[in-house]
Amino acid sequence: MLTLAPRRRLASSVSSALAALVLTCTPAVAAPAAADPPAAVGTVGVPDFARITQRYGPAVVNISVSGVRQVTVGPETADPTSDDSDADSMQQFLRRFQQQFGGSGASMQVPVRGQGSGFIVSEDGLILTNAHVIASAHDVVVKLTDRREFRAQVLGSDKRTDIAVLRIDAKQLPTVKVGNPTELQVGQWVLAIGSPFGFENSVSAGVVSAKGRSLPDGSGVPFIQTDAAVNPGNSGGPLFNARGEVVGINSQIYSRTGGFQGLSFAIPIDIALKVQQQIVATGHVSHGLLGVTVQEMNQALSEAFKLSAPMGALVLDTLRGSPGAQAGLLPGDVILKVEGRPIAAAADLQTLVTLAQPGQHLVFDVWREGRSLRLEVTLGDAGKPVSLPPQPPRDAYLQGHFGLQLRPLLPAERLAIGVVEGVLVDVVEGPAQLAGVQAGDVILAIAGKTVATIDQAREAFKASGGTVALLVQRGNERLFVPVRPAEAPR
């Protein structure tokens, strides 16, 4: 069976943890050229898919890859979802070797072979495909529908968007026509050309099931969801609209079995072309970095934050030293707009930042504690580590006498916990740890005195003069914890 290896298991938020996003693959077969398909096709009736296939099928190519992959097997390590039979056999050998002779692990380079698809976007040999199709490949061979074969040069690839750009040494090649995916409507016809399971030049049709789908792969790509049959072997192949224009690149399926189950996902072609331009110009791709973690808003949260409707992206956390933190974004902020563009869902923010460039200046409309404000953010580079500022100084008295590092509660934390006052235990050691205090506990009162700031906490500890009773909230429970101070550090 001719399939490309990588397959990613993901827990389904709808049904069960057995569901999986599967990276797929593709090729094509020669067909006689024909006149262009109709310039426009309405939503009534079925488009002439035969003419689209005849006209643009020759621009779809078969990609064969070979290379090596490092396989490491420990006592409990293996990849049960791998499609690579060579790698699986080697893992089984290494496991048997380990069981017989012992050892902490074994590794070996094993051959990797796979097939995928791509399509020609320029007459001089520029080809788009998926990044996972050519991952770990040393040799990439492109086969045209007229049976000519070329060794391809990988100009570059981008794992985040799963786009790769190849070039072959050929001229006057057939090309696809590029469409506008923003004009696609849910329910419109689409066509996929590829080689599922190695069956070359297979054509499947379906409709657009949804647009702007966010998948739990962290890519930030707003996928086009369709019900066109896409299987292992289809990756990198084009998704055509009813006019015969490429609107996407088939990339993933959602499946419990590894085969098509009615859900396939394509990368919008406009995103792929932006990646292509960067790769052709520089050989690599840069993505913007905000450095915040966000979650979806729902009705209950919108009421809690006094919003008129569930909208925007709720900030859960900010990475210290990140562009978002430097711009003043705080946990509990709701990002409603970026550059005047409404953020309807958390995925909208992720997509916008992913496709932006490092150094780009963006204006954020933020909802904070019942009022609107604007923040200017200069995005960082997702490909570079964030330079962290120095840690704030520790409170010497609390650290030395009780082994505590405290910080004030953030507005979002107060709302989630349901408290007005209190300080959070950030780090615990020494006497407090021995007494049972845990990191993440919220200290509501010290020796009967409520506290809301670090200064108040320090003064309450000092006033106790000995063993002090802490009123702690841990999850939904409250309890008193007596803590005996250590001797003052010398």
Side-chain angles (χ1 to χ4, degrees), residues 290 292 297 301-302 304-308 311-315 317-318 323-337 364-377 410-413 415:
L290 181 59
V292 303
M297 292 291 293
L301 285 172
S302 66
F305 283 91
K306 297 180 174 57
L307 284 168
S308 59
M311 56 187 175
L314 175 61
V315 178
D317 192 17
T318 58
Q326 292 175 358
L329 283 171
L330 298 175
D333 287 348
V334 182
I335 301 172
L336 300 177
K337 294 181 180 179
F364 282 53
D365 289 331
V366 174
W367 183 262
R368 178 183 296 172
E369 298 181 352
R371 63 186 182 90
S372 298
L373 67 153
R374 285 194 167 183
L375 299 175
E376 293 188 6
V377 180
L410 298 168
E413 292 170 332
L415 184 66

mmCIF file of all heavy atoms in Angstrom, residues 290 292 297 301-302 304-308 311-315 317-318 323-337 364-377 410-413 415:
data_model
loop_
_atom_site.group_PDB
_atom_site.id
_atom_site.type_symbol
_atom_site.label_atom_id
_atom_site.label_comp_id
_atom_site.label_asym_id
_atom_site.label_seq_id
_atom_site.Cartn_x
_atom_site.Cartn_y
_atom_site.Cartn_z
ATOM 1 N N LEU A 290 2.740 36.761 19.201
ATOM 2 C CA LEU A 290 2.094 37.619 20.190
ATOM 3 C C LEU A 290 2.491 37.196 21.599
ATOM 4 O O LEU A 290 2.712 38.028 22.468
ATOM 5 C CB LEU A 290 0.572 37.575 20.013
ATOM 6 C CG LEU A 290 -0.255 38.448 20.953
ATOM 7 C CD1 LEU A 290 0.137 39.920 20.796
ATOM 8 C CD2 LEU A 290 -1.750 38.264 20.682
ATOM 9 N N VAL A 292 0.620 35.105 23.795
ATOM 10 C CA VAL A 292 -0.463 34.981 24.757
ATOM 11 C C VAL A 292 -1.207 33.676 24.509
ATOM 12 O O VAL A 292 -1.213 33.152 23.398
ATOM 13 C CB VAL A 292 -1.462 36.161 24.686
ATOM 14 C CG1 VAL A 292 -0.748 37.484 24.885
ATOM 15 C CG2 VAL A 292 -2.229 36.162 23.365
ATOM 16 N N MET A 297 -14.744 32.526 24.053
ATOM 17 C CA MET A 297 -15.769 33.103 24.905
ATOM 18 C C MET A 297 -17.050 32.295 24.734
ATOM 19 O O MET A 297 -17.343 31.806 23.647
ATOM 20 C CB MET A 297 -16.019 34.558 24.529
ATOM 21 C CG MET A 297 -14.866 35.486 24.830
ATOM 22 S SD MET A 297 -14.621 35.725 26.603
ATOM 23 C CE MET A 297 -16.107 36.617 27.049
ATOM 24 N N LEU A 301 -19.302 33.263 30.137
ATOM 25 C CA LEU A 301 -18.151 34.157 30.283
ATOM 26 C C LEU A 301 -18.488 35.570 29.828
ATOM 27 O O LEU A 301 -18.048 36.545 30.439
ATOM 28 C CB LEU A 301 -16.960 33.610 29.487
ATOM 29 C CG LEU A 301 -16.224 32.416 30.092
ATOM 30 C CD1 LEU A 301 -15.201 31.858 29.109
ATOM 31 C CD2 LEU A 301 -15.539 32.802 31.395
ATOM 32 N N SER A 302 -19.251 35.684 28.744
ATOM 33 C CA SER A 302 -19.604 37.029 28.264
ATOM 34 C C SER A 302 -20.438 37.771 29.306
ATOM 35 O O SER A 302 -20.286 38.984 29.491
ATOM 36 C CB SER A 302 -20.362 36.938 26.932
ATOM 37 O OG SER A 302 -21.620 36.307 27.099
ATOM 38 N N ALA A 304 -20.252 37.200 32.573
ATOM 39 C CA ALA A 304 -19.346 37.501 33.676
ATOM 40 C C ALA A 304 -18.469 38.704 33.381
ATOM 41 O O ALA A 304 -18.158 39.492 34.286
ATOM 42 C CB ALA A 304 -18.483 36.273 33.972
ATOM 43 N N PHE A 305 -18.070 38.855 32.114
ATOM 44 C CA PHE A 305 -17.209 39.982 31.730
ATOM 45 C C PHE A 305 -18.012 41.185 31.244
ATOM 46 O O PHE A 305 -17.446 42.147 30.740
ATOM 47 C CB PHE A 305 -16.217 39.545 30.645
ATOM 48 C CG PHE A 305 -15.067 38.730 31.167
ATOM 49 C CD1 PHE A 305 -15.145 37.352 31.218
ATOM 50 C CD2 PHE A 305 -13.923 39.349 31.636
ATOM 51 C CE1 PHE A 305 -14.092 36.588 31.700
ATOM 52 C CE2 PHE A 305 -12.863 38.603 32.127
ATOM 53 C CZ PHE A 305 -12.952 37.222 32.164
ATOM 54 N N LYS A 306 -19.364 41.106 31.369
ATOM 55 C CA LYS A 306 -20.259 42.215 31.023
ATOM 56 C C LYS A 306 -20.145 42.613 29.554
ATOM 57 O O LYS A 306 -20.128 43.792 29.205
ATOM 58 C CB LYS A 306 -19.995 43.422 31.931
ATOM 59 C CG LYS A 306 -20.276 43.146 33.403
ATOM 60 C CD LYS A 306 -20.008 44.385 34.262
ATOM 61 C CE LYS A 306 -20.433 44.141 35.705
ATOM 62 N NZ LYS A 306 -19.777 42.977 36.321
ATOM 63 N N LEU A 307 -20.073 41.592 28.689
ATOM 64 C CA LEU A 307 -20.100 41.817 27.247
ATOM 65 C C LEU A 307 -21.512 41.574 26.724
ATOM 66 O O LEU A 307 -22.255 40.757 27.274
ATOM 67 C CB LEU A 307 -19.124 40.884 26.538
ATOM 68 C CG LEU A 307 -17.636 41.240 26.631
ATOM 69 C CD1 LEU A 307 -16.785 40.078 26.137
ATOM 70 C CD2 LEU A 307 -17.324 42.493 25.818
ATOM 71 N N SER A 308 -21.850 42.253 25.652
ATOM 72 C CA SER A 308 -23.208 42.139 25.107
ATOM 73 C C SER A 308 -23.451 40.802 24.433
ATOM 74 O O SER A 308 -24.603 40.374 24.298
ATOM 75 C CB SER A 308 -23.470 43.274 24.112
ATOM 76 O OG SER A 308 -22.524 43.220 23.039
ATOM 77 N N MET A 311 -18.137 36.996 22.213
ATOM 78 C CA MET A 311 -17.271 37.360 21.097
ATOM 79 C C MET A 311 -15.880 37.640 21.622
ATOM 80 O O MET A 311 -15.663 37.846 22.810
ATOM 81 C CB MET A 311 -17.826 38.594 20.378
ATOM 82 C CG MET A 311 -18.037 39.789 21.279
ATOM 83 S SD MET A 311 -18.864 41.159 20.445
ATOM 84 C CE MET A 311 -19.078 42.320 21.802
ATOM 85 N N GLY A 312 -14.917 37.624 20.694
ATOM 86 C CA GLY A 312 -13.559 37.935 21.056
ATOM 87 C C GLY A 312 -12.774 36.731 21.541
ATOM 88 O O GLY A 312 -13.265 35.601 21.576
ATOM 89 N N ALA A 313 -11.522 36.984 21.908
ATOM 90 C CA ALA A 313 -10.613 35.964 22.419
ATOM 91 C C ALA A 313 -10.215 36.350 23.836
ATOM 92 O O ALA A 313 -9.681 37.445 24.060
ATOM 93 C CB ALA A 313 -9.376 35.848 21.532
ATOM 94 N N LEU A 314 -10.488 35.473 24.799
ATOM 95 C CA LEU A 314 -10.192 35.739 26.204
ATOM 96 C C LEU A 314 -8.753 35.343 26.513
ATOM 97 O O LEU A 314 -8.351 34.200 26.292
ATOM 98 C CB LEU A 314 -11.157 34.950 27.091
ATOM 99 C CG LEU A 314 -10.914 35.014 28.604
ATOM 100 C CD1 LEU A 314 -11.022 36.441 29.122
ATOM 101 C CD2 LEU A 314 -11.905 34.104 29.330
ATOM 102 N N VAL A 315 -7.977 36.292 27.023
ATOM 103 C CA VAL A 315 -6.571 36.050 27.338
ATOM 104 C C VAL A 315 -6.473 35.275 28.647
ATOM 105 O O VAL A 315 -6.931 35.740 29.694
ATOM 106 C CB VAL A 315 -5.787 37.370 27.433
ATOM 107 C CG1 VAL A 315 -4.332 37.099 27.823
ATOM 108 C CG2 VAL A 315 -5.854 38.128 26.115
ATOM 109 N N ASP A 317 -3.303 33.779 29.607
ATOM 110 C CA ASP A 317 -1.966 33.968 30.157
ATOM 111 C C ASP A 317 -1.124 34.707 29.132
ATOM 112 O O ASP A 317 -1.393 34.654 27.918
ATOM 113 C CB ASP A 317 -1.340 32.615 30.488
ATOM 114 C CG ASP A 317 -0.074 32.736 31.328
ATOM 115 O OD1 ASP A 317 0.126 33.816 31.921
ATOM 116 O OD2 ASP A 317 0.706 31.780 31.383
ATOM 117 N N THR A 318 -0.100 35.400 29.604
ATOM 118 C CA THR A 318 0.851 36.069 28.724
ATOM 119 C C THR A 318 2.246 35.566 29.060
ATOM 120 O O THR A 318 2.601 35.427 30.243
ATOM 121 C CB THR A 318 0.806 37.602 28.889
ATOM 122 O OG1 THR A 318 1.082 37.939 30.250
ATOM 123 C CG2 THR A 318 -0.558 38.143 28.499
ATOM 124 N N PRO A 323 5.807 39.992 23.172
ATOM 125 C CA PRO A 323 5.237 41.247 22.662
ATOM 126 C C PRO A 323 3.898 41.587 23.295
ATOM 127 O O PRO A 323 3.624 42.759 23.569
ATOM 128 C CB PRO A 323 5.097 40.969 21.166
ATOM 129 C CG PRO A 323 6.159 39.963 20.866
ATOM 130 C CD PRO A 323 6.229 39.095 22.077
ATOM 131 N N GLY A 324 3.051 40.572 23.547
ATOM 132 C CA GLY A 324 1.763 40.845 24.177
ATOM 133 C C GLY A 324 1.916 41.391 25.573
ATOM 134 O O GLY A 324 1.220 42.338 25.975
ATOM 135 N N ALA A 325 2.827 40.803 26.359
ATOM 136 C CA ALA A 325 3.061 41.282 27.722
ATOM 137 C C ALA A 325 3.649 42.686 27.712
ATOM 138 O O ALA A 325 3.266 43.542 28.517
ATOM 139 C CB ALA A 325 3.991 40.317 28.456
ATOM 140 N N GLN A 326 4.581 42.946 26.806
ATOM 141 C CA GLN A 326 5.203 44.262 26.728
ATOM 142 C C GLN A 326 4.202 45.336 26.315
ATOM 143 O O GLN A 326 4.328 46.499 26.707
ATOM 144 C CB GLN A 326 6.377 44.223 25.751
ATOM 145 C CG GLN A 326 7.539 43.380 26.233
ATOM 146 C CD GLN A 326 8.643 43.267 25.200
ATOM 147 O OE1 GLN A 326 8.536 43.785 24.089
ATOM 148 N NE2 GLN A 326 9.718 42.570 25.552
ATOM 149 N N ALA A 327 3.195 44.945 25.517
ATOM 150 C CA ALA A 327 2.183 45.905 25.088
ATOM 151 C C ALA A 327 1.137 46.167 26.158
ATOM 152 O O ALA A 327 0.334 47.092 26.021
ATOM 153 C CB ALA A 327 1.500 45.401 23.819
ATOM 154 N N GLY A 328 1.132 45.349 27.227
ATOM 155 C CA GLY A 328 0.200 45.573 28.319
ATOM 156 C C GLY A 328 -0.986 44.640 28.362
ATOM 157 O O GLY A 328 -1.905 44.855 29.169
ATOM 158 N N LEU A 329 -1.018 43.596 27.526
ATOM 159 C CA LEU A 329 -2.108 42.629 27.596
ATOM 160 C C LEU A 329 -2.032 41.857 28.909
ATOM 161 O O LEU A 329 -0.947 41.449 29.326
ATOM 162 C CB LEU A 329 -2.048 41.652 26.421
ATOM 163 C CG LEU A 329 -2.536 42.175 25.068
ATOM 164 C CD1 LEU A 329 -2.213 41.174 23.968
ATOM 165 C CD2 LEU A 329 -4.040 42.443 25.107
ATOM 166 N N LEU A 330 -3.185 41.657 29.543
ATOM 167 C CA LEU A 330 -3.243 40.981 30.833
ATOM 168 C C LEU A 330 -4.227 39.815 30.785
ATOM 169 O O LEU A 330 -5.189 39.844 30.008
ATOM 170 C CB LEU A 330 -3.698 41.962 31.927
ATOM 171 C CG LEU A 330 -2.816 43.169 32.199
ATOM 172 C CD1 LEU A 330 -3.503 44.076 33.218
ATOM 173 C CD2 LEU A 330 -1.448 42.745 32.707
ATOM 174 N N PRO A 331 -4.003 38.779 31.595
ATOM 175 C CA PRO A 331 -5.022 37.733 31.721
ATOM 176 C C PRO A 331 -6.357 38.355 32.130
ATOM 177 O O PRO A 331 -6.415 39.206 33.025
ATOM 178 C CB PRO A 331 -4.460 36.830 32.826
ATOM 179 C CG PRO A 331 -2.979 37.027 32.739
ATOM 180 C CD PRO A 331 -2.791 38.474 32.390
ATOM 181 N N GLY A 332 -7.424 37.943 31.494
ATOM 182 C CA GLY A 332 -8.734 38.522 31.738
ATOM 183 C C GLY A 332 -9.140 39.537 30.696
ATOM 184 O O GLY A 332 -10.319 39.898 30.609
ATOM 185 N N ASP A 333 -8.177 39.995 29.887
ATOM 186 C CA ASP A 333 -8.524 40.882 28.764
ATOM 187 C C ASP A 333 -9.273 40.086 27.699
ATOM 188 O O ASP A 333 -8.990 38.902 27.471
ATOM 189 C CB ASP A 333 -7.269 41.491 28.130
ATOM 190 C CG ASP A 333 -6.641 42.569 29.005
ATOM 191 O OD1 ASP A 333 -7.292 43.003 29.966
ATOM 192 O OD2 ASP A 333 -5.491 42.962 28.713
ATOM 193 N N VAL A 334 -10.211 40.744 27.036
ATOM 194 C CA VAL A 334 -10.905 40.138 25.906
ATOM 195 C C VAL A 334 -10.531 40.936 24.654
ATOM 196 O O VAL A 334 -10.832 42.130 24.566
ATOM 197 C CB VAL A 334 -12.430 40.130 26.092
ATOM 198 C CG1 VAL A 334 -13.105 39.441 24.905
ATOM 199 C CG2 VAL A 334 -12.811 39.443 27.388
ATOM 200 N N ILE A 335 -9.847 40.288 23.724
ATOM 201 C CA ILE A 335 -9.437 40.954 22.483
ATOM 202 C C ILE A 335 -10.611 40.914 21.521
ATOM 203 O O ILE A 335 -11.031 39.848 21.071
ATOM 204 C CB ILE A 335 -8.206 40.272 21.878
ATOM 205 C CG1 ILE A 335 -7.048 40.302 22.877
ATOM 206 C CG2 ILE A 335 -7.795 40.942 20.568
ATOM 207 C CD1 ILE A 335 -5.835 39.483 22.449
ATOM 208 N N LEU A 336 -11.159 42.085 21.207
ATOM 209 C CA LEU A 336 -12.360 42.186 20.370
ATOM 210 C C LEU A 336 -12.043 42.484 18.914
ATOM 211 O O LEU A 336 -12.732 41.995 18.014
ATOM 212 C CB LEU A 336 -13.291 43.269 20.918
ATOM 213 C CG LEU A 336 -13.805 43.063 22.339
ATOM 214 C CD1 LEU A 336 -14.649 44.247 22.778
ATOM 215 C CD2 LEU A 336 -14.598 41.777 22.433
ATOM 216 N N LYS A 337 -11.008 43.281 18.660
ATOM 217 C CA LYS A 337 -10.654 43.639 17.288
ATOM 218 C C LYS A 337 -9.137 43.760 17.165
ATOM 219 O O LYS A 337 -8.454 44.092 18.141
ATOM 220 C CB LYS A 337 -11.288 44.971 16.863
ATOM 221 C CG LYS A 337 -12.805 44.962 16.754
ATOM 222 C CD LYS A 337 -13.316 46.330 16.292
ATOM 223 C CE LYS A 337 -14.828 46.360 16.175
ATOM 224 N NZ LYS A 337 -15.319 47.689 15.747
ATOM 225 N N PHE A 364 -4.833 46.760 18.883
ATOM 226 C CA PHE A 364 -5.778 45.840 19.496
ATOM 227 C C PHE A 364 -6.860 46.621 20.233
ATOM 228 O O PHE A 364 -6.546 47.524 21.024
ATOM 229 C CB PHE A 364 -5.070 44.925 20.498
ATOM 230 C CG PHE A 364 -4.303 43.791 19.889
ATOM 231 C CD1 PHE A 364 -3.359 44.005 18.892
ATOM 232 C CD2 PHE A 364 -4.517 42.492 20.306
ATOM 233 C CE1 PHE A 364 -2.652 42.964 18.330
ATOM 234 C CE2 PHE A 364 -3.820 41.426 19.761
ATOM 235 C CZ PHE A 364 -2.889 41.673 18.764
ATOM 236 N N ASP A 365 -8.121 46.284 19.972
ATOM 237 C CA ASP A 365 -9.234 46.786 20.776
ATOM 238 C C ASP A 365 -9.532 45.746 21.842
ATOM 239 O O ASP A 365 -9.878 44.593 21.519
ATOM 240 C CB ASP A 365 -10.469 47.033 19.910
ATOM 241 C CG ASP A 365 -10.301 48.235 18.994
ATOM 242 O OD1 ASP A 365 -9.563 49.157 19.374
ATOM 243 O OD2 ASP A 365 -10.886 48.243 17.905
ATOM 244 N N VAL A 366 -9.410 46.146 23.095
ATOM 245 C CA VAL A 366 -9.463 45.214 24.229
ATOM 246 C C VAL A 366 -10.563 45.639 25.195
ATOM 247 O O VAL A 366 -10.785 46.841 25.422
ATOM 248 C CB VAL A 366 -8.095 45.182 24.952
ATOM 249 C CG1 VAL A 366 -8.157 44.334 26.210
ATOM 250 C CG2 VAL A 366 -7.021 44.647 24.010
ATOM 251 N N TRP A 367 -11.242 44.638 25.760
ATOM 252 C CA TRP A 367 -12.241 44.866 26.803
ATOM 253 C C TRP A 367 -11.634 44.437 28.137
ATOM 254 O O TRP A 367 -11.231 43.289 28.306
ATOM 255 C CB TRP A 367 -13.489 44.041 26.503
ATOM 256 C CG TRP A 367 -14.622 44.230 27.460
ATOM 257 C CD1 TRP A 367 -14.936 43.420 28.514
ATOM 258 C CD2 TRP A 367 -15.596 45.277 27.459
ATOM 259 N NE1 TRP A 367 -16.048 43.892 29.165
ATOM 260 C CE2 TRP A 367 -16.478 45.041 28.539
ATOM 261 C CE3 TRP A 367 -15.804 46.388 26.657
ATOM 262 C CZ2 TRP A 367 -17.558 45.873 28.824
ATOM 263 C CZ3 TRP A 367 -16.868 47.227 26.938
ATOM 264 C CH2 TRP A 367 -17.735 46.965 28.004
ATOM 265 N N ARG A 368 -11.526 45.401 29.075
ATOM 266 C CA ARG A 368 -10.897 45.111 30.365
ATOM 267 C C ARG A 368 -11.721 45.714 31.493
ATOM 268 O O ARG A 368 -11.947 46.926 31.525
ATOM 269 C CB ARG A 368 -9.477 45.660 30.408
ATOM 270 C CG ARG A 368 -8.753 45.447 31.744
ATOM 271 C CD ARG A 368 -7.384 46.087 31.745
ATOM 272 N NE ARG A 368 -6.490 45.479 30.775
ATOM 273 C CZ ARG A 368 -5.283 45.968 30.467
ATOM 274 N NH1 ARG A 368 -4.856 47.088 31.053
ATOM 275 N NH2 ARG A 368 -4.528 45.362 29.571
ATOM 276 N N GLU A 369 -12.181 44.860 32.389
ATOM 277 C CA GLU A 369 -12.920 45.291 33.578
ATOM 278 C C GLU A 369 -14.060 46.238 33.233
ATOM 279 O O GLU A 369 -14.251 47.284 33.860
ATOM 280 C CB GLU A 369 -11.969 45.930 34.598
ATOM 281 C CG GLU A 369 -10.908 44.963 35.110
ATOM 282 C CD GLU A 369 -9.986 45.597 36.139
ATOM 283 O OE1 GLU A 369 -10.080 46.829 36.343
ATOM 284 O OE2 GLU A 369 -9.169 44.868 36.720
ATOM 285 N N GLY A 370 -14.820 45.876 32.203
ATOM 286 C CA GLY A 370 -16.026 46.619 31.862
ATOM 287 C C GLY A 370 -15.828 47.859 31.023
ATOM 288 O O GLY A 370 -16.768 48.638 30.824
ATOM 289 N N ARG A 371 -14.635 48.063 30.495
ATOM 290 C CA ARG A 371 -14.420 49.232 29.635
ATOM 291 C C ARG A 371 -13.498 48.876 28.475
ATOM 292 O O ARG A 371 -12.750 47.904 28.532
ATOM 293 C CB ARG A 371 -13.833 50.398 30.428
ATOM 294 C CG ARG A 371 -12.466 50.119 31.022
ATOM 295 C CD ARG A 371 -11.999 51.250 31.925
ATOM 296 N NE ARG A 371 -10.667 51.001 32.455
ATOM 297 C CZ ARG A 371 -9.549 51.389 31.854
ATOM 298 N NH1 ARG A 371 -9.611 52.049 30.695
ATOM 299 N NH2 ARG A 371 -8.369 51.144 32.388
ATOM 300 N N SER A 372 -13.563 49.699 27.422
ATOM 301 C CA SER A 372 -12.759 49.465 26.221
ATOM 302 C C SER A 372 -11.469 50.265 26.282
ATOM 303 O O SER A 372 -11.438 51.377 26.819
ATOM 304 C CB SER A 372 -13.545 49.870 24.967
ATOM 305 O OG SER A 372 -14.719 49.095 24.835
ATOM 306 N N LEU A 373 -10.410 49.700 25.724
ATOM 307 C CA LEU A 373 -9.156 50.430 25.579
ATOM 308 C C LEU A 373 -8.415 49.898 24.364
ATOM 309 O O LEU A 373 -8.730 48.817 23.853
ATOM 310 C CB LEU A 373 -8.280 50.297 26.819
ATOM 311 C CG LEU A 373 -7.691 48.916 27.162
ATOM 312 C CD1 LEU A 373 -6.400 49.094 27.939
ATOM 313 C CD2 LEU A 373 -8.673 48.111 27.992
ATOM 314 N N ARG A 374 -7.457 50.664 23.902
ATOM 315 C CA ARG A 374 -6.659 50.275 22.739
ATOM 316 C C ARG A 374 -5.200 50.117 23.142
ATOM 317 O O ARG A 374 -4.652 50.919 23.899
ATOM 318 C CB ARG A 374 -6.776 51.320 21.625
ATOM 319 C CG ARG A 374 -8.099 51.272 20.903
ATOM 320 C CD ARG A 374 -8.072 52.066 19.612
ATOM 321 N NE ARG A 374 -9.213 51.771 18.778
ATOM 322 C CZ ARG A 374 -9.417 52.286 17.571
ATOM 323 N NH1 ARG A 374 -8.523 53.130 17.065
ATOM 324 N NH2 ARG A 374 -10.480 51.958 16.878
ATOM 325 N N LEU A 375 -4.606 49.057 22.592
ATOM 326 C CA LEU A 375 -3.192 48.779 22.844
ATOM 327 C C LEU A 375 -2.481 48.604 21.515
ATOM 328 O O LEU A 375 -3.029 48.006 20.577
ATOM 329 C CB LEU A 375 -3.024 47.509 23.681
ATOM 330 C CG LEU A 375 -3.646 47.499 25.076
ATOM 331 C CD1 LEU A 375 -3.480 46.129 25.709
ATOM 332 C CD2 LEU A 375 -3.026 48.566 25.959
ATOM 333 N N GLU A 376 -1.276 49.120 21.407
ATOM 334 C CA GLU A 376 -0.457 48.930 20.203
ATOM 335 C C GLU A 376 0.563 47.832 20.473
ATOM 336 O O GLU A 376 1.291 47.879 21.468
ATOM 337 C CB GLU A 376 0.248 50.229 19.818
ATOM 338 C CG GLU A 376 -0.708 51.319 19.355
ATOM 339 C CD GLU A 376 0.024 52.527 18.809
ATOM 340 O OE1 GLU A 376 1.271 52.464 18.697
ATOM 341 O OE2 GLU A 376 -0.638 53.525 18.487
ATOM 342 N N VAL A 377 0.578 46.852 19.582
ATOM 343 C CA VAL A 377 1.439 45.684 19.750
ATOM 344 C C VAL A 377 2.400 45.589 18.575
ATOM 345 O O VAL A 377 1.986 45.723 17.417
ATOM 346 C CB VAL A 377 0.615 44.388 19.840
ATOM 347 C CG1 VAL A 377 1.530 43.179 20.008
ATOM 348 C CG2 VAL A 377 -0.388 44.462 20.980
ATOM 349 N N LEU A 410 -4.719 38.000 39.719
ATOM 350 C CA LEU A 410 -5.111 38.773 38.555
ATOM 351 C C LEU A 410 -6.634 38.874 38.498
ATOM 352 O O LEU A 410 -7.351 38.041 39.077
ATOM 353 C CB LEU A 410 -4.577 38.123 37.278
ATOM 354 C CG LEU A 410 -3.052 38.030 37.201
ATOM 355 C CD1 LEU A 410 -2.630 37.119 36.060
ATOM 356 C CD2 LEU A 410 -2.441 39.414 37.024
ATOM 357 N N PRO A 411 -7.169 39.893 37.801
ATOM 358 C CA PRO A 411 -8.638 40.038 37.735
ATOM 359 C C PRO A 411 -9.349 38.782 37.245
ATOM 360 O O PRO A 411 -10.382 38.392 37.796
ATOM 361 C CB PRO A 411 -8.811 41.207 36.756
ATOM 362 C CG PRO A 411 -7.556 42.008 36.880
ATOM 363 C CD PRO A 411 -6.471 41.008 37.136
ATOM 364 N N ALA A 412 -8.792 38.125 36.212
ATOM 365 C CA ALA A 412 -9.438 36.919 35.679
ATOM 366 C C ALA A 412 -9.417 35.796 36.715
ATOM 367 O O ALA A 412 -10.370 35.009 36.803
ATOM 368 C CB ALA A 412 -8.744 36.467 34.398
ATOM 369 N N GLU A 413 -8.345 35.724 37.517
ATOM 370 C CA GLU A 413 -8.255 34.689 38.544
ATOM 371 C C GLU A 413 -9.254 34.942 39.664
ATOM 372 O O GLU A 413 -9.893 34.010 40.170
ATOM 373 C CB GLU A 413 -6.830 34.631 39.090
ATOM 374 C CG GLU A 413 -5.816 34.130 38.067
ATOM 375 C CD GLU A 413 -4.384 34.308 38.516
ATOM 376 O OE1 GLU A 413 -4.103 35.236 39.317
ATOM 377 O OE2 GLU A 413 -3.525 33.531 38.069
ATOM 378 N N LEU A 415 -12.082 36.414 39.337
ATOM 379 C CA LEU A 415 -13.393 36.096 38.775
ATOM 380 C C LEU A 415 -13.607 34.585 38.743
ATOM 381 O O LEU A 415 -14.685 34.083 39.101
ATOM 382 C CB LEU A 415 -13.521 36.683 37.368
ATOM 383 C CG LEU A 415 -14.871 36.530 36.680
ATOM 384 C CD1 LEU A 415 -15.941 37.321 37.403
ATOM 385 C CD2 LEU A 415 -14.775 36.996 35.228
#
